[in-house]
RNA sequence: GAGAUAUUAGCUCAGUUGGUUCAGAGCAUCGCCUUGACAGGGCGGGGGUCACUGGUUCGAGUCCAGUAUAUCUCACCA
């Protein structure tokens, strides 16, 4: 069957993927082999594939396929998480389109819609991963809200609560009024905004005097419960003990003194709103101030807002400024730039808000996790992230694990009374009832009197268990799967979630299994567009990965992603990278076409082919060593580049040209067979990177019953350096002749003659000279003891090579060339000699270095005398 | 404001514990070749005062200090 001149990926990709699935090659179960495990960073169940996923999952697939071919029991566990905030936001938005408000629904009704949404959109992303070639064990696909996974989460909550590590607290949280939930400090993005600084004057109670203070948020004056100055500030010392009247509210509040106030800023006087500012809250606690909350959950003003009740906070700001002006309390307004916290999820301006939240004490839990990374039991790649990690873990704050949402794991706490402590934590309602009866001392307490907390747990509170819970290690820590697969080997994820997720998984690992969750964490770069912006849906600057795959082939896109993505470095994405990947596919495909086009006859290899085969084999071994080294250092893009050059430069450009028969002549059977074998070896090495193409070529090379995906990877056991060196020498000769052809416009049709003057160097073996003869298109290569006058010349090591040409050689030019070379070599020799004459160098440098310097000096010396001889003759 | 990391060819990056006088790769670019696998090809070039300034050393892209710029993290004053 004739092969198409162009490689068409789409045809073979689905074919092989289905075949691999049918053969269950991706499936893993516990056996005697050494395990190699990766758990996928679970993407949002309702999300679609973006470029970050492409990069991330390509890397994981490379690692897992390589491990599989190295004979390990490779297990890649896929799955998704429920992404509370993002999913709930999407469901709310969709309901709004249908004219339904979330608040009009019961919790169960809403969850019904959420599940419907999840079933409809859920798993799309996992389907898309198949297109990329991801060899996940799909039988193990997990979702963080599966029954067993949910049970694990609740069990951990109950356990940590009973250990005294989870507590309920009244805290200032970052409130997202749009999503109506809290977000963590890490999810707040501070943005530079052009605001105003309003100078307001408050009348001193019982006097006609005023104090002036500055604020960016005049609407919060309705929540003011004090005005504060610095105790060291002489401007205000006479006011000690007095009170002021808050304008609009006409409320009397105390004047207090606190070191917190910066005397330089504004007027040196600060209004205190404990309910709506973290610093004010702390000052309020120090001075036992009243707390007045003026906002509703959607950031409109509540009944404390007086006549502004129901008005949005920003609208209120405008209105109240007008009122203050009318009242004569507005002194002046300045333009002012400040940083405003916004929600990473919704973009809404964060409203600091006091509320009851559930917290996990982190300080103690963080200790083993910090140690594990600092002592490299868990290796971070690249290492630079250790600093960031340490900084976080040493300053870790308690984790706010509650979210004011419905979609997620509902907090297993039941309230039975109005008191702060009138609640119990339990796995089930029945258990809760029993505990509540005990705790309350009321044996008659009924189920109907219990009310479960309305909030759900932070999504990370389920995903931090991921490497354990996917193997059921929380509920059942002694089960054979967790014993076998845990700790997993590598985790591949983005540095942005090093703390959110990675650190917390390490914490959970030590807390629940007394063991790290993975050996190494490979932190990928962030995929950016050409302008250096992060790729995001909202910017619309991300190409559709599926379209890319259709255009360049999965293999091409995989290669494009891998080529320029060293760990931890950003990846400025360019489609040209995928193009390079596609070109590489095509190159390999055409090499296959060449091979398949040859007519094969019984016979023996030529001397050149013999040498070529010897060399190619050793070159593969050499490359395998390099690749192995790259993988050990997680330098995946370097490993791929090594494969790329091995195939393109060595195999296609050099080897195939050596063994290629003359036009329309047949090839001998031995060379053909060996070439097919070498080609197959290359496909094995390529497979983890380009699985589809390599599998196809593997089967095209010969009819086989075994598939490449499970074929053992060749292992480097050393290589013959002499053969490599001999080939390099031959290649330099070829390059020398080609340069002469190029320079003098001598085409390939003109057969040339080469003379080699070895100058004491050992002559290149005959079969390697045959390579030179073939690739440089020579009629003969003859040794010579003397210079060939009038010939073009070049040097390889210390050997002189002459190519006689019927040209008018300009003696002047020749003289100049030689003189230049002489000058260079002499300079070189001087610098080397200086070192050798330097006592400190001789004393300080290692023996190897000194030896190398001596050899350099000797080689240079020899070349110099050779050139000097030539110069003598020219003169 | 504090800290971390970086700064090497037009672009993206290598450069291992300091040790070749031409600092490497891929892509891009340029010239030439080209009817015989592949123009998505072959061959060969050009291109860098290794951000800057000092220092340590026999020797610095590599180590140290400072400066500049960039990115990230943390903290943020109304």
């Amino acid at each position: 069957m004739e092969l198409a001149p162009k490689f068409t990926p789409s045809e073979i990709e689905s074919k092989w993927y289905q075949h691999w699935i049918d053969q269950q090659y991706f499936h893993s179960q516990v056996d005697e082999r050494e395990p190699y495990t990766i758990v996928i960073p679970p993407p949002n169940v309702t999300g679609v594939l973006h470029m970050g996923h492409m990069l991330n999952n390509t890397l994981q697939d490379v690692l897992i396929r390589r491990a599989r071919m190295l004979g390990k029991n490779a297990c890649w566990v896929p799955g998704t998480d429920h992404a509370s905030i993002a999913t709930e936001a999407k469901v709310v938005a969709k309901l709004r389109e249908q004219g339904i408000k979330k608040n009009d629904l019961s919790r169960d009704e809403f969850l019904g819609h959420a599940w419907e949404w999840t079933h409809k959109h859920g798993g799309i992303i996992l389907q898309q991963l198949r297109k990329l070639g991801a060899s996940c064990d799909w039988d193990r696909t997990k979702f963080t809200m599966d029954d067993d996974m949910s049970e694990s989460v609740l069990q951990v909550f109950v356990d940590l609560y009973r250990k005294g590590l989870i507590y309920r607290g009244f805290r200032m949280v970052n409130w997202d009024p749009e999503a109506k939930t809290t977000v963590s400090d890490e999810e707040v993005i501070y943005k530079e905004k052009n605001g105003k600084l309003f100078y307001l004057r408050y009348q001193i109670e019982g006097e006609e005097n005023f104090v002036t203070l500055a604020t960016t948020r005049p609407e919060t004056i309705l929540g003011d419960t004090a005005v504060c100055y610095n105790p060291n500030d002489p401007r205000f010392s006479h006011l000690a003990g007095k009170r002021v009247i808050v304008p609009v509210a006409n409320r009397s509040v105390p004047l207090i003194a606190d070191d917190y106030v910066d005397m330089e800023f504004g007027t040196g006087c600060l209004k205190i709103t404990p309910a709506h500012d973290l610093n004010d809250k702390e000052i309020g606690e120090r001075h036992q101030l009243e707390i007045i909350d003026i906002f509703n959950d959607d950031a409109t003003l509540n009944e404390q807002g007086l006549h502004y009740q129901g008005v949005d906070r920003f609208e209120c700001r405008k209105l109240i400024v007008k009122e203050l002006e009318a009242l004569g309390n507005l002194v002046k307004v300045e333009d002012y730039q400040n940083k405003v916290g916004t929600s990473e999820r919704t973009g809404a301006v964060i409203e600091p808000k006091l509320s009851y939240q559930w917290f996990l004490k982190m300080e103690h839990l963080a200790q083993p996790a910090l140690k594990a990374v600092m002592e490299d039991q868990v290796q971070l790649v690249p290492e630079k992230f250790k600093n960031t990690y340490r900084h976080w873990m040493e300053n870790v704050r308690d984790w706010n694990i509650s979210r004011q949402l419905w979609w997620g794991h509902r907090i297993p706490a039941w309230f039975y009374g109005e008191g702060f402590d009138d609640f119990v934590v339990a796995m089930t309602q029945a258990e809760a009832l029993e505990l509540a009866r005990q705790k309350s001392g009321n044996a008659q307490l009924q189920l109907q009197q219990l009310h479960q907390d309305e909030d759900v747990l932070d999504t990370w509170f389920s995903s931090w268990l991921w490497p354990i819970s996917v193997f059921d290690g929380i509920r059942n820590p002694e089960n054979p799967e967790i014993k076998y697969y845990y700790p997993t080997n590598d985790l591949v994820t983005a540095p942005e979630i090093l703390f959110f997720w990675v650190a917390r998984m390490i914490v959970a690992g030590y807390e629940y299994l007394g063991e790290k969750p993975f050996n190494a964490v490979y932190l990928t770069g962030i995929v950016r567009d050409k302008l250096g912006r992060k790729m995001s849906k909202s910017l619309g600057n991300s190409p559709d990965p599926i379209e890319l795959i259709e255009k360049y082939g999965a293999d091409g896109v995989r290669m494009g992603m891998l080529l320029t993505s060293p760990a931890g470095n950003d990846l400025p994405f360019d489609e040209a990278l995928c193009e390079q990947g596609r070109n590489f596919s095509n190159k390999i495909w055409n090499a296959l076409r060449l091979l398949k086009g040859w007519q094969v006859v019984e016979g023996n290899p030529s001397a050149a082919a013999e040498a070529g085969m010897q060399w190619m084999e050793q070159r593969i071994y050499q490359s395998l060593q390099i690749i192995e080294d790259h993988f050990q250092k997680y330098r995946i893009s370097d490993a791929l580049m090594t494969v790329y050059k091995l195939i393109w430069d060595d195999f296609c450009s050099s080897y195939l040209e050596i063994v290629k028969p003359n036009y329309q002549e047949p090839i001998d059977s031995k060379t053909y067979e060996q070439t097919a074998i070498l080609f197959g070896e290359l496909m094995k090495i390529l497979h983890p990177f380009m699985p589809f193409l390599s599998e196809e070529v593997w089967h095209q090379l010969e009819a086989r019953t075994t598939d490449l995906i499970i074929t053992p990877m060749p292992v480097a056991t050393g290589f013959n350096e002499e053969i490599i060196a001999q080939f390099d020498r031959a290649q330099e000769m070829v390059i020398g002749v080609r340069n002469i052809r190029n320079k003098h416009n001598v085409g390939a049709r003109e057969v040339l003659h080469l003379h080699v003057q070895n100058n004491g160097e050992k002559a290149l073996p005959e079969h390697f000279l045959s390579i030179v003869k073939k690739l440089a298109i020579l009629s003969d290569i003859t040794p010579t003891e003397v210079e060939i006058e009038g010939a073009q010349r070049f040097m390889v090591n210390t050997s002189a090579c002459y190519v006689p040409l019927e040209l008018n050689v300009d003696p002047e030019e020749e003289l100049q060339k030689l003189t230049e070379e002489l000058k260079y070599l002499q300079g070189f020799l001087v610098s080397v000699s200086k070192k050798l004459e330097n006592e400190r160098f001789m004393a300080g440098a290692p023996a190897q270095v000194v030896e190398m310097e001596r050899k350099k000096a000797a080689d240079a010396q020899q070349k110099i005398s050779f050139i000097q001889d030539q110069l003598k003759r020219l003169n």
Side-chain angles (χ1 to χ4, degrees):
Chain A
M1 189 184 66
E2 187 82 355
L3 290 170
K6 274 187 189 174
F7 174 61
T8 42
S10 54
E11 287 170 24
I12 64 150
E13 282 173 8
S14 49
K15 173 182 83 178
W16 286 117
Y17 201 82
Q18 191 55 49
H19 178 74
W20 294 330
I21 293 273
D22 291 344
Q23 298 295 314
Q24 300 219 308
Y25 291 141
F26 303 163
H27 183 62
S28 167
Q29 51 200 41
V30 176
D31 65 20
E32 297 309 306
R33 289 175 296 165
E34 181 191 341
Y36 177 88
T37 316
I38 295 180
V39 290
I40 205 168
N44 175 352
V45 65
T46 61
V48 291
L49 203 63
H50 61 62
M51 297 307 286
H53 294 127
M54 295 283 282
L55 172 63
N56 199 8
N57 288 294
T58 301
L59 284 163
Q60 290 173 69
D61 197 46
V62 170
L63 294 174
I64 208 86
R65 283 181 185 268
R66 179 175 159 83
R68 194 179 287 123
M69 290 176 77
L70 287 171
K72 293 177 189 162
N73 186 349
C75 180
W76 184 9
V77 182
T80 49
D81 77 24
H82 61 278
S84 283
I85 300 179
T87 305
E88 182 152 328
K90 279 184 200 163
V91 175
V92 169
K94 187 204 158 213
L95 290 172
R96 196 186 303 134
E97 276 173 30
Q98 300 170 356
I100 305 172
K101 282 189 200 156
K102 181 188 163 192
N103 292 341
D104 295 342
L105 297 177
S106 71
R107 186 184 189 105
D108 283 345
E109 282 168 345
F110 179 81
L111 288 178
H113 286 289
W115 275 110
E116 194 185 308
W117 175 272
T118 299
H119 290 136
K120 190 171 160 198
H121 298 273
I124 290 179
I125 193 161
L126 298 182
Q127 291 302 326
Q128 291 178 313
L129 280 180
R130 290 166 165 86
K131 294 244 187 295
L132 186 64
S135 58
C136 303
D137 184 352
W138 299 109
D139 299 342
R140 293 179 177 274
T141 305
K142 286 285 180 186
F143 176 47
T144 47
M145 280 175 68
D146 287 344
D147 289 344
D148 55 331
M149 302 291 280
S150 297
E151 199 179 308
S152 301
V153 172
L154 298 184
Q155 191 177 318
V156 163
F157 183 94
V158 172
D159 178 64
L160 291 171
Y161 176 76
R162 291 186 182 160
K163 285 175 181 160
L165 293 172
I166 286 180
Y167 64 95
R168 194 162 168 256
F170 192 52
R171 284 290 183 89
M172 184 72 76
V173 292
N174 302 301
W175 182 257
D176 178 339
E178 206 156 296
K180 291 193 192 150
T181 183
T182 54
V183 293
S184 70
D185 290 347
E186 287 79 9
E187 290 161 312
V188 177
I189 300 165
Y190 286 91
K191 288 184 184 161
E192 200 71 47
K193 293 230 166 142
N194 292 320
K196 306 262 189 224
L197 192 57
F198 301 90
Y199 287 76
L200 309 179
R201 58 177 202 171
Y202 287 28
Q203 188 172 8
I204 297 169
E205 196 175 31
E207 297 182 17
E208 287 305 305
N209 298 321
F210 291 85
V211 288
T212 303
L213 51 80
T215 180
T216 52
R217 300 198 60 192
E219 71 278 14
T220 62
I221 65 170
L222 299 168
D224 284 358
T225 54
V227 169
C228 187
Y229 58 89
N230 191 300
N232 302 316
D233 194 334
R235 292 175 294 177
F236 299 103
S237 53
H238 65 286
L239 296 173
K242 295 192 173 171
R243 297 179 72 86
V244 295
I245 308 293
V246 179
V248 182
N250 285 321
R251 191 170 54 239
S252 162
V253 299
L255 264 165
I256 57 172
D258 196 286
D259 287 338
Y260 170 80
V261 180
D262 179 352
M263 287 159 40
E264 308 297 317
F265 190 88
T267 64
C269 197
L270 176 66
K271 71 187 204 61
I272 306 296
T273 322
H276 302 294
D277 184 285
L278 185 57
N279 295 306
D280 289 10
K281 184 201 169 225
E282 282 166 11
I283 295 169
E285 277 166 6
R286 282 200 286 277
H287 299 269
Q288 283 101 44
L289 297 177
E290 195 188 343
I291 294 167
I292 300 176
D293 189 335
I294 62 165
F295 290 122
N296 293 313
D297 285 352
D298 60 357
T300 57
L301 278 83
N302 62 20
E303 67 284 358
Q304 295 288 347
L306 310 174
H307 46 290
Y308 295 109
Q309 185 171 356
V311 178
D312 177 76
R313 54 186 166 160
F314 297 117
E315 186 59 23
C316 177
R317 182 176 303 172
K318 289 181 203 158
L319 297 172
I320 207 164
V321 167
K322 277 187 190 154
E323 184 175 352
L324 286 163
E325 196 174 9
L327 292 170
N329 289 87
L330 182 66
V331 178
K332 63 172 173 175
V333 182
E334 282 177 356
D335 284 330
Y336 183 67
Q337 260 206 349
N338 63 344
K339 282 182 184 171
V340 176
T342 59
S343 166
E344 189 183 39
R345 305 279 170 177
T346 64
V349 173
I350 292 297
E351 188 61 54
K353 182 183 166 72
L354 285 168
S355 69
Y356 283 108
Q357 300 291 331
W358 294 90
F359 292 92
L360 175 60
K361 290 183 189 166
M362 290 302 288
E363 201 186 339
H364 169 72
L365 288 173
Q367 294 314 311
L370 172 60
K371 197 172 152 218
V373 168
M374 294 331 284
E375 291 174 0
D376 287 323
Q377 283 142 31
V378 175
Q379 189 194 349
L380 297 189
V381 181
E383 222 181 340
K384 65 179 178 185
F385 287 107
K386 271 166 87 171
N387 279 321
T388 318
Y389 183 87
R390 187 181 59 213
H391 190 259
W392 269 330
M393 293 305 263
E394 283 178 350
N395 299 289
V396 70
R397 286 189 272 165
D398 288 355
W399 177 10
N400 176 199
I401 52 174
S402 43
R403 292 291 179 271
Q404 286 61 50
L405 297 165
W406 282 346
W407 177 242
H409 301 107
R410 191 169 180 181
I411 292 175
W414 279 263
F415 296 89
Y416 56 81
E418 292 303 311
F420 178 78
D421 200 36
D422 292 347
F423 68 89
V424 292
V425 168
M427 286 299 287
T428 63
Q429 222 178 16
E431 193 193 348
L433 181 62
E434 195 174 316
L435 287 170
R437 283 177 174 167
Q438 284 171 22
K439 193 170 170 185
S440 66
N442 174 6
Q444 304 308 313
L445 204 65
Q446 295 303 309
L447 261 185
Q448 302 88 286
Q449 293 166 270
L450 288 188
H451 180 71
Q452 189 176 357
D453 195 309
E454 289 292 339
D455 293 349
V456 296
L457 290 161
D458 182 8
T459 307
W460 299 114
F461 195 82
S462 43
S463 41
W464 75 320
L465 305 175
W466 187 251
I468 306 174
S469 56
V470 294
F471 300 115
D472 203 15
I474 294 289
R475 301 188 309 167
N476 196 356
E478 294 298 319
N479 85 70
E481 292 231 318
I482 190 83
K483 289 267 172 212
Y484 180 72
Y485 290 113
Y486 191 97
T488 68
N489 294 72
D490 296 317
L491 178 82
V492 180
T493 192
E496 309 157 280
I497 52 174
L498 183 57
F499 182 68
F500 281 146
W501 190 47
V502 178
R504 287 168 180 168
M505 279 191 288
I506 302 174
V507 167
Y510 283 103
E511 180 66 14
Y512 283 98
L513 295 179
E515 173 69 285
K516 61 188 172 182
F518 25 69
N519 299 325
V521 184
Y522 179 106
L523 295 150
T524 63
I526 296 167
V527 184
R528 295 178 184 278
D529 67 7
K530 282 181 192 168
L531 300 171
R533 298 175 305 181
K534 228 167 117 171
M535 284 194 173
S536 75
K537 240 204 210 151
S538 49
L539 279 173
N541 58 350
S542 176
D544 177 2
I546 300 303
E547 280 173 23
L548 280 181
I549 288 175
E550 280 161 11
K551 196 165 164 192
Y552 300 103
D555 291 322
V557 177
R558 287 168 67 110
M559 184 167 153
M561 303 289 336
L562 290 172
L563 264 180
T564 56
S565 59
N569 272 359
D570 284 356
L571 192 160
F573 183 77
D574 191 336
E575 270 197 42
L577 297 168
C578 296
E579 203 177 317
Q580 194 181 347
R582 183 192 57 189
N583 292 352
F584 187 44
S585 307
N586 210 43
K587 183 73 184 175
I588 295 168
W589 186 251
N590 276 292
L592 176 70
R593 282 182 64 213
L594 174 68
L595 198 74
K596 301 295 278 186
W598 285 335
Q599 190 199 340
V600 184
V601 295
E602 282 298 314
N604 288 314
S606 66
E610 192 76 63
M613 290 186 285
Q614 270 183 24
W615 165 71
M616 192 64 217
E617 193 179 4
Q618 295 308 317
R619 183 82 181 113
I620 289 175
Y621 291 146
Q622 185 187 28
S623 301
L624 278 170
Q625 273 194 353
I626 298 168
I627 291 163
E628 168 66 23
D629 184 55
H630 285 323
F631 268 103
Q632 275 184 7
K633 294 172 181 153
Y634 292 89
R635 304 176 72 139
I636 315 293
S637 55
D638 287 345
L640 173 57
M641 187 45 71
T642 307
V643 178
Y644 179 81
K645 286 197 273 196
L646 177 66
I647 292 178
W648 197 308
D649 298 345
D650 296 326
F651 186 68
C652 294
S653 298
S654 296
Y655 175 80
L656 287 179
E657 292 302 326
I658 292 168
V659 299
K660 189 195 238 176
N662 289 330
Y663 185 52
Q664 293 196 326
E665 283 178 26
I667 190 166
D668 71 90
S669 52
K670 282 190 178 138
T671 303
Y672 181 85
E673 281 154 22
Q674 179 63 10
T675 301
I677 287 170
L678 291 169
F679 205 157
E681 294 298 295
L682 294 172
M683 290 307 99
K684 292 180 192 169
I685 301 168
L686 181 67
H687 181 80
F689 304 99
M690 303 180 101
F692 296 110
L693 171 70
S694 55
E695 185 77 82
E696 175 69 16
V697 172
W698 174 253
H699 287 275
Q700 288 282 354
L701 281 169
E702 60 176 88
R704 306 180 198 256
T705 50
T706 56
D707 294 315
L708 182 60
I709 183 174
I710 49 149
T711 300
M713 179 70 78
V715 179
T717 51
F719 60 94
N720 184 325
E721 289 184 45
E722 200 188 347
I723 289 178
I724 299 281
Q726 283 168 340
F727 179 84
D728 289 346
R729 226 173 118 191
Q731 198 169 35
E732 276 189 59
M733 289 186 184
V734 173
I735 289 169
V737 176
R738 280 175 179 166
N739 277 335
I740 289 169
R741 284 182 184 275
N742 233 340
K743 190 176 164 196
H744 299 290
N745 258 319
V746 181
R749 291 212 181 116
E750 199 164 335
V751 178
L752 300 175
H753 197 104
L754 178 70
H755 302 268
V756 180
Q757 184 182 5
N758 282 312
N759 290 326
E761 201 175 6
K762 205 174 144 196
L764 198 59
E766 199 56 43
H767 54 302
F768 278 96
L769 287 174
S770 306
I771 289 181
V772 180
K773 218 167 115 180
K774 176 156 188 186
L775 296 189
I777 316 170
L778 304 168
S779 59
D780 274 302
I781 301 177
T782 44
T784 174
E785 292 300 319
V786 294
E787 183 196 348
I788 308 295
E789 299 206 25
Q792 296 296 308
R793 64 192 74 208
F794 61 92
M795 294 198 74
V796 174
N797 296 339
T798 54
S799 304
C801 300
Y802 304 96
V803 180
L805 272 185
E806 296 294 321
L807 290 166
N808 295 325
V809 178
D810 181 356
E812 277 301 312
E813 195 185 321
E814 194 67 8
L815 190 69
Q816 198 190 340
K817 204 177 125 191
L818 284 170
T819 313
E820 266 172 29
E821 204 176 339
L822 182 65
K823 215 171 124 190
Y824 164 78
L825 281 167
Q826 282 169 334
F828 178 73
L829 185 60
V830 167
S831 86
V832 175
S833 307
K834 266 191 197 158
K835 282 189 204 173
L836 291 171
E837 284 157 18
N838 186 318
E839 279 173 39
R840 291 214 243 175
F841 173 76
M842 296 305 281
Q848 266 190 339
V849 174
V850 175
E851 195 41 52
M852 233 159 59
E853 295 296 318
R854 286 219 173 94
K855 188 174 183 305
K856 282 192 292 190
D859 282 1
Q861 194 70 65
Q862 190 172 3
K863 282 187 189 173
I864 287 170
S865 56
F866 177 71
I867 290 172
Q868 281 170 336
D869 282 351
Q870 290 188 25
L871 282 171
K872 266 182 217 155
R873 269 174 222 151
L874 272 175
N875 291 332

